[in-house]
Amino acid sequence: MNLQANKSKLKVSIVVSDLSSAGAGRWGGGSVRSFLLAQALQKLNYQVEILGFVFGEAAVFPQSEIQINQFIGYNYPKFLVSANQLLKRIDGDIIYAMRPKPTTLGLSLWKKISTRQPVILDIDDWELGWHGGENWQYRPSLKQLYRDIFKPDGALRNPDHPLYLKFVEGIAPKANVVTIHTKFLQERFGGVYIPNGKDTDLFNPIHYNAEESRACYGLSDYRILMFPGAPRPYKGVEDVLMALDILNEPDLRLVIVGGSPYDDYDAQLREKWGRWIIQLPKSPPTEMPKIVAAAHIIVVPQRNTPAALAQFPLKLTDGMAMAKPILATRVGDIPEIVGETAYLVEPACPEEIATQIKLIFADLDGASERGRQARIRCIEKYSISAMATTLQSVIANL
């Protein structure tokens, strides 16, 4: 297939595992990366569709020209009906599978058998890493195996059970090409490095006034550290809160935007550190620049864990694009992403965080200049346009 012929007519079908509101991400489970890739592909004049399953409540997506096809997700065996419906709807010249999962890569490779459509696999998280990684094994007794297969809530009825994830991870090389967004994943799976891009036209500080944003969200009386995402233990929010305990300055606040959709971790944080926390509700992507504008400092305090190493923290580029001072940890790709434009500390070190907070507020002019340099770096290396440039090369070599 000559994919470069009649390029303007080419279509890319992006297959996502979970488009429900219960999953991670601002636009539903696992779909943030797919939307960023879709925006980059649109810049290259491709038609783009996103197809995926909804296990639970459907997410609300931002209005765009991207066609979204949702299919109700079930456990096996009923899942096979939904899978067949999705397979029939895939009509792109290229299939882009999000993560090595049965619900994405498995179905995409099955489609490839009959149509010969090239398959690109994108890996933006180490799925098996959530289950113990390479050490995970499935060794049930015969009785447990029976239960896992035949009981209505049997574990093996889950389409993305770790047993299936392990198998599909092993056939990842069957994709025509792999794209990844962290060096940790590149070392594990190979592939072409395409870091997450930011819409730097939307996230542009010239459109927002920081004081007005703080007034809008009731933050005018405080010096604001902001974590614009869903807290989880490996993301190190507790280290920032412990740093605030150390500083004990009454006008400091940590603003958490959204919250954890997974468990009661937010409540645990509030119970212990409620006096430092202001929580804003989950907001649509188009409102995020105005929210980020209210911050004095964006904090990205990742801890040194496999989960953190495998992920590209979008909070970094939120802050970079909005020219905000960034306080982050030396974990994974973070030092390379920010270069000399951020304030870096060792992971899980509240004392260092406290020291840097004091230094930043002692020289806000200098911190603001670093923020301006961060925006320049974001436009050059971590924008949607930068993603598009690399994607163009990937597709040209299919």
Side-chain angles (χ1 to χ4, degrees):
M1 177 187 295
N2 182 4
L3 291 173
Q4 295 306 299
N6 298 319
K7 175 181 163 183
S8 63
K9 297 181 180 179
L10 285 178
K11 182 176 182 180
V12 180
S13 296
I14 299 177
V15 182
V16 180
S17 175
D18 187 0
L19 291 173
S20 71
S21 61
R26 295 172 189 163
W27 302 330
S31 61
V32 173
R33 173 77 168 173
S34 64
F35 271 86
L36 296 176
L37 289 166
Q39 288 177 276
L41 289 164
Q42 285 182 319
K43 277 188 173 290
L44 297 173
N45 203 27
Y46 290 101
Q47 298 180 60
V48 184
E49 66 173 352
I50 293 176
L51 308 96
F53 301 100
V54 177
F55 293 92
E57 183 179 346
V60 178
F61 297 98
Q63 289 188 341
S64 72
E65 298 177 359
I66 301 169
Q67 180 182 353
I68 302 172
N69 298 310
Q70 299 177 331
F71 304 85
I72 299 175
Y74 301 98
N75 283 346
Y76 288 119
K78 196 173 180 181
F79 173 74
L80 296 174
V81 176
S82 296
N84 188 53
Q85 292 171 346
L86 184 144
L87 285 168
K88 288 180 178 178
R89 289 291 296 274
I90 295 176
D91 61 358
D93 302 283
I94 301 167
I95 304 173
Y96 213 142
M98 299 291 103
R99 303 182 184 179
K101 304 176 77 170
T103 45
T104 56
L105 180 62
L107 294 179
S108 298
L109 291 176
W110 184 260
K111 183 77 173 182
K112 180 184 177 182
I113 291 173
S114 59
T115 64
R116 304 300 178 188
Q117 291 151 289
V119 172
I120 305 174
L121 168 63
D122 185 76
I123 307 177
D124 72 334
D125 204 350
W126 187 26
E127 290 292 326
L128 203 58
W130 294 103
H131 305 280
E134 296 164 342
N135 295 324
W136 182 88
Q137 292 183 332
Y138 181 65
R139 292 179 174 175
S141 64
L142 287 175
K143 186 175 182 180
Q144 186 61 49
L145 179 63
Y146 177 86
R147 289 174 176 169
D148 287 348
I149 293 174
F150 294 105
K151 286 182 70 69
D153 60 348
L156 290 178
R157 293 195 173 208
N158 179 352
D160 285 328
H161 185 276
L163 180 64
Y164 311 141
L165 293 177
K166 194 168 187 175
F167 171 77
V168 176
E169 190 175 289
I171 62 172
K174 298 291 184 181
N176 294 75
V177 66
V178 174
T179 58
I180 46 80
H181 73 342
T182 67
K183 296 301 174 63
F184 172 87
L185 291 171
Q186 191 172 43
E187 289 174 4
R188 180 166 293 278
F189 296 102
V192 180
Y193 179 60
I194 305 181
N196 283 328
K198 186 66 60 181
D199 184 343
T200 51
D201 294 326
L202 175 64
F203 282 77
N204 189 334
I206 67 170
H207 300 315
Y208 306 93
N209 179 281
E211 292 296 338
E212 290 178 1
S213 285
R214 282 191 278 274
C216 177
Y217 300 106
L219 306 174
S220 296
D221 294 335
Y222 306 108
R223 290 180 292 161
I224 300 300
L225 290 79
M226 184 175 289
F227 182 84
R232 301 189 79 174
Y234 73 87
K235 295 184 180 181
V237 172
E238 292 177 41
D239 299 322
V240 176
L241 292 166
M242 284 187 277
L244 294 181
D245 276 343
I246 293 169
L247 293 169
N248 198 26
E249 297 181 14
D251 65 334
L252 288 172
R253 290 293 185 276
L254 175 64
V255 172
I256 297 173
V257 184
S260 173
Y262 316 102
D263 48 37
D264 64 347
Y265 186 56
D266 291 341
Q268 295 175 37
L269 294 176
R270 286 194 301 270
E271 182 178 354
K272 190 168 183 179
W273 289 288
R275 67 176 178 141
W276 301 123
I277 296 173
I278 296 175
Q279 193 150 12
L280 298 181
K282 186 176 180 180
S283 301
T286 51
E287 191 176 344
M288 285 306 298
K290 183 178 179 181
I291 294 174
V292 174
H296 290 98
I297 304 171
I298 297 296
V299 291
V300 188
Q302 304 281 83
R303 290 176 171 173
N304 192 9
T305 68
L309 293 171
Q311 294 185 349
F312 184 109
L314 289 164
K315 296 170 289 298
L316 274 182
T317 49
D318 284 352
M320 292 173 75
M322 290 298 290
K324 291 293 179 179
I326 295 168
L327 175 54
T329 48
R330 296 184 183 94
V331 171
D333 290 0
I334 290 176
E336 181 176 342
I337 294 167
V338 298
E340 301 297 320
T341 69
Y343 298 82
L344 296 178
V345 299
E346 292 304 312
C349 193
E351 295 82 3
E352 284 193 32
I353 293 174
T355 299
Q356 289 299 322
I357 291 171
K358 286 186 73 72
L359 289 173
I360 292 170
F361 281 116
D363 183 15
L364 272 179
D365 288 341
S368 296
E369 177 56 31
R370 285 205 199 186
R372 286 188 285 272
Q373 293 302 316
R375 175 168 169 79
I376 293 170
R377 185 176 180 84
C378 187
I379 292 170
E380 178 186 348
K381 295 178 176 290
Y382 305 105
S383 62
I384 297 294
S385 295
M387 289 184 81
T389 299
T390 309
L391 271 174
Q392 188 171 33
S393 175
V394 167
I395 293 174
N397 291 318
L398 283 177

